[in-house]
Amino acid sequence: MQEGRYGAVSWLSWHRDSASTPLQPRLLRRSRAAATALQRRCYAAPGLGVAYAWRVANWFSRRRKRAELPRFSLRSSDQATTKVDLGDLTPNLPEFLGRAAYAQLTIFENLSRAIAIAPTTAVKVELGEAAELSLAKHRALCAEIERDGSDAASLMEPHTRAVDEFQRMTAGANWLEAVTTSYVTAGFLDEFFVLLAAGLAPEPRARITSILERTTGEPILVTVLQTAMADDPRLSSSLALWGRRLIGDAMLVARSALSFTANSKSDEANIEPVFTELIAAHTRRMDVLGLTA
């Protein structure tokens, strides 16, 4: 390298500008030797401030400190783990039943819309079978409401706003998007309300969980969607995108059903792992369709 006016100054300037490039030991020795030479000549350098030249030389000659890397310790087998429990955020029984029953009614309504615009009679019949299963869940939950002498419609009414907004935003542009909405919503909300039922008294919890875990129309919807995508593979990308949008809106519906406490930090700590589990289940459902969640 060509020597500049002040001996090693130009080489050292190059070295400073290239500080981001790792130096081999040979180059590092050269930089220190050049710095020593500059220290010896800095007093004789015309026009170069002595103090400045000395500082520059010292900057290059000093040894760099090793960066301290973060150290991680493995979790020991006897370290306690916190069990996720959504039961602390479970609303009272009437509110729970009102929300769960209206959610099932909405799934039935979505499937009914898909039936109305489905292209063939065969598809309409298949979707009708899936819709009947959702309607059966809705009626069973209404029976639980009426068990204590309450009116099902009156109990659902205060909790319709979030679900109606969800339905408005996720109606879909065509019958396939409507079917996908029903598939994603039914799976996500059924699992969510099962987890949320953890905070109910044992006897009603057992009955309600049994209702929510009944046979669903999910296999029917999978067959309908897979058949449509096999006939037109271009549908896969658009339905995958639609599914990704749906899950965010479904999470908002689920959050609206939680009974939050005064400790928001603790609430969020309970919610996060539950929603992580629900999203993982959603990913598995999309995998069944061959779609990316």
Side-chain angles (χ1 to χ4, degrees), residues 63-269:
R63 290 180 179 272
R64 296 191 178 188
K65 293 182 180 179
R66 288 176 177 263
E68 284 292 329
L69 298 177
R71 299 178 181 179
F72 301 95
S73 58
L74 297 176
R75 183 199 298 240
S76 59
S77 57
D78 59 347
Q79 189 171 350
T81 56
T82 303
K83 182 180 177 181
V84 175
D85 186 7
L86 200 57
D88 293 339
L89 303 177
T90 303
N92 58 58
L93 180 60
E95 181 178 343
F96 180 97
L97 286 170
R99 290 183 181 278
Y102 194 70
Q104 293 297 329
L105 183 60
T106 301
I107 295 168
F108 168 76
E109 189 175 348
N110 286 338
L111 284 169
S112 299
R113 185 183 303 107
I115 292 170
I117 58 178
T120 67
T121 302
V123 171
K124 290 177 185 286
V125 170
E126 289 181 294
L127 295 179
E129 294 174 1
E132 285 179 3
L133 293 171
S134 292
L135 186 60
K137 285 188 178 184
H138 165 73
R139 287 173 173 165
L141 291 170
C142 287
E144 284 294 319
I145 294 174
E146 294 164 357
R147 187 185 187 95
D148 295 328
S150 300
D151 177 68
S154 299
L155 210 58
M156 288 187 285
E157 184 61 37
H159 315 300
T160 60
R161 182 175 180 179
V163 180
D164 287 347
E165 180 64 14
F166 170 77
Q167 187 179 33
R168 183 187 67 80
M169 296 178 62
T170 60
N174 52 58
W175 73 276
L176 280 171
E177 288 189 355
V179 172
T180 304
T181 297
S182 300
Y183 175 69
V184 171
T185 304
F188 186 90
L189 292 182
D190 278 357
E191 292 183 353
F192 167 75
F193 278 110
V194 167
L195 293 173
L196 190 60
L200 299 175
E203 186 177 344
R205 179 177 69 236
R207 294 195 306 268
I208 292 168
T209 300
S210 176
I211 293 170
L212 293 171
E213 291 179 340
R214 287 180 183 178
T215 301
T216 68
E218 191 170 292
I220 299 172
L221 302 183
V222 168
T223 300
V224 169
L225 291 169
Q226 286 179 335
T227 301
M229 288 186 289
D231 293 339
D232 186 358
R234 295 173 299 178
L235 292 170
S236 298
S237 59
S238 62
L239 291 180
L241 183 63
W242 181 245
R244 288 194 288 272
R245 172 188 168 177
L246 290 170
I247 194 63
D249 292 326
M251 289 173 65
L252 292 177
V253 173
R255 285 186 67 93
S256 71
L258 298 173
S259 180
F260 290 96
T261 69
N263 190 340
S264 59
K265 189 174 182 179
S266 174
D267 290 346
E268 292 300 329

